Each structure stands twice: as structure tokens, then as C-alpha cells.
Amino acid sequence: MDINNFLLFAFASLMLNITPGNDMLYVASRSTGQGVRAGLVSALGISAGCLLHITAAVVGLSAIIAKSAIAFDVIKWLGAAYLLYLGIKSLLKRRSSPFHLPGRMDRLSYSKIFGQGALTNMLNPKVALFFLAFLPQFVVLKELHPQMQILFLGIWFNFSGLIVNMLVAILFARMGNWLSKSPAFLKWQEKITGLVLVALGIKVALSTRK
């Protein structure tokens, strides 16, 4: 894999992972309500749940590649369109209140928090869509072992998300109330992420025409 291609993937993955969603909300809620350890355990659970999406991507996309390169190109085109849609949606979105944390959550054992984190990620359809639309853009068919490329990219995406969620756990354990009420906390994230997604979608669309 070309180093520039990987760096683009790593940067775009980071932008996607810092965009608030169900996973980040769960980590923030656990960390605010039960302390930093609970937040870190929930982040580990989410990372474990993401392994299911990685496995599905490796098996499913590899099977499509083996059967038809044209079908895989169609997925990349649809993925480019999806990335453009997400980017434009993020740029145009007006958020009135950034983060709604539950007032009080029951204290749970770390094993239950871990399990809930894993389920939160496994049952999140947005994660599956990201893997279907995002990862294929960086797979080089002319290189050997595309399934290993998918596995590597998926693991890196998951690692990036784990680091982000761990930082979220630490921040919300210390400043949860202030962060959840700050209008500027999420605004810059969504705008930057929107720009990255639009640029990535355009890059993919143009590159597939060569």
C-alpha cells in the first residue's frame, strides 16, 4: 500500500472516529456516571465489538473481489457517493445542543459494561455502512492479497477509534458536565469531518475514472 494512500486513510479514519455517535455517547455516559475506569472498559468493549465488522468486511468484500472486480468497483462508486452524502450532511447540519448525556445510569460491573460496549458497536448499522463505503476506497486490486489489505485497514480503523474513545473516557470523567453543555465542543468536529468526507468522495470518484 502506498504510504500517501495510507496516511490519507489514517487521517480520514481519525476524523470519522472523533465524530460523535452511539459509541462515543456510551463511553462518555459511562465515564461521567461511573468514573474513568468504567469509561475505559466501555471503550475496550466497543473495540471488541468492532472486530465483528472487520471480520464481515474481510470475508464479504474478499468474496466479492474473487467473483467480480466490476462488482467491487460498483461498491466503490456507491461508497464515494455515500461519503459525499455524509460530508455534505455534516457541513449543512445545524446542531442546537451538542451532547445529551443521561442524567443517571445504574452502576454496573466492568464485565457488563464491556459487554454493553461490544453490543453497542456490533448493533450499530452506521459502523457497518462505514466499513462497506469507506474501506473499499483504499483497497488496491492490482496488489496481492486484498483480504490482507482489508484486515490491516480495519484493524487500524479500530485502533484509531479505541484511542479516541479512551481519550473521551478520560476527558468526560474530568469535565463531563462542561463538555456536554458546550456548543463549540462538536461544531468544529462535524465541519472538519464534513470537509474530509467530501474531499475523499471527490478523490475516489475522480480516481475511478482513470
Side-chain angles (χ1 to χ4, degrees), residues 40-108:
L40 292 174
V41 170
S42 64
L44 290 172
I46 287 169
S47 181
C50 189
L51 295 177
L52 176 66
H53 295 286
I54 295 174
T55 303
V58 171
V59 174
L61 292 176
S62 297
I64 293 174
I65 293 171
K67 290 184 177 181
S68 173
I70 296 177
F72 189 73
D73 283 339
V74 170
I75 289 179
K76 292 187 72 172
W77 272 103
L78 293 176
Y82 181 62
L83 292 172
L84 284 170
Y85 164 75
L86 290 176
I88 294 173
K89 183 179 179 182
S90 295
L91 289 173
L92 297 179
K93 187 174 183 179
R94 294 183 178 180
R95 184 183 290 273
S96 56
S97 55
F99 231 59
H100 292 287
L101 297 178
R104 182 178 180 181
M105 298 183 72
D106 295 332
R107 296 183 68 87
L108 299 176

Side-chain angles (χ1 to χ4, degrees), residues 28 32-33 99 101-103 171-182:
T32 302
F99 231 59
L101 297 178
L171 286 173
F172 271 85
R174 299 178 180 275
M175 301 182 295
N177 292 330
W178 178 81
L179 290 173
S180 63
K181 296 177 182 178
S182 174

Side-chain angles (χ1 to χ4, degrees), residues 82-144:
Y82 181 62
L83 292 172
L84 284 170
Y85 164 75
L86 290 176
I88 294 173
K89 183 179 179 182
S90 295
L91 289 173
L92 297 179
K93 187 174 183 179
R94 294 183 178 180
R95 184 183 290 273
S96 56
S97 55
F99 231 59
H100 292 287
L101 297 178
R104 182 178 180 181
M105 298 183 72
D106 295 332
R107 296 183 68 87
L108 299 176
S109 65
Y110 289 149
S111 61
K112 288 185 177 180
I113 291 174
F114 182 90
Q116 282 189 357
L119 283 175
T120 297
N121 188 274
M122 287 189 290
L123 301 179
N124 190 346
K126 288 186 177 181
V127 179
L129 286 173
F130 275 133
F131 271 85
L132 185 61
F134 186 65
L135 280 180
Q137 317 307 330
F138 298 88
V139 176
V140 183
L141 292 180
K142 64 181 179 181
E143 300 292 338
L144 296 176

Side-chain angles (χ1 to χ4, degrees), residues 7 21 37 46 57 69 82 98 125 127 146 149 184-185:
L7 290 176
R37 288 187 180 180
I46 287 169
Y82 181 62
V127 179
Q149 296 180 55
F185 173 59

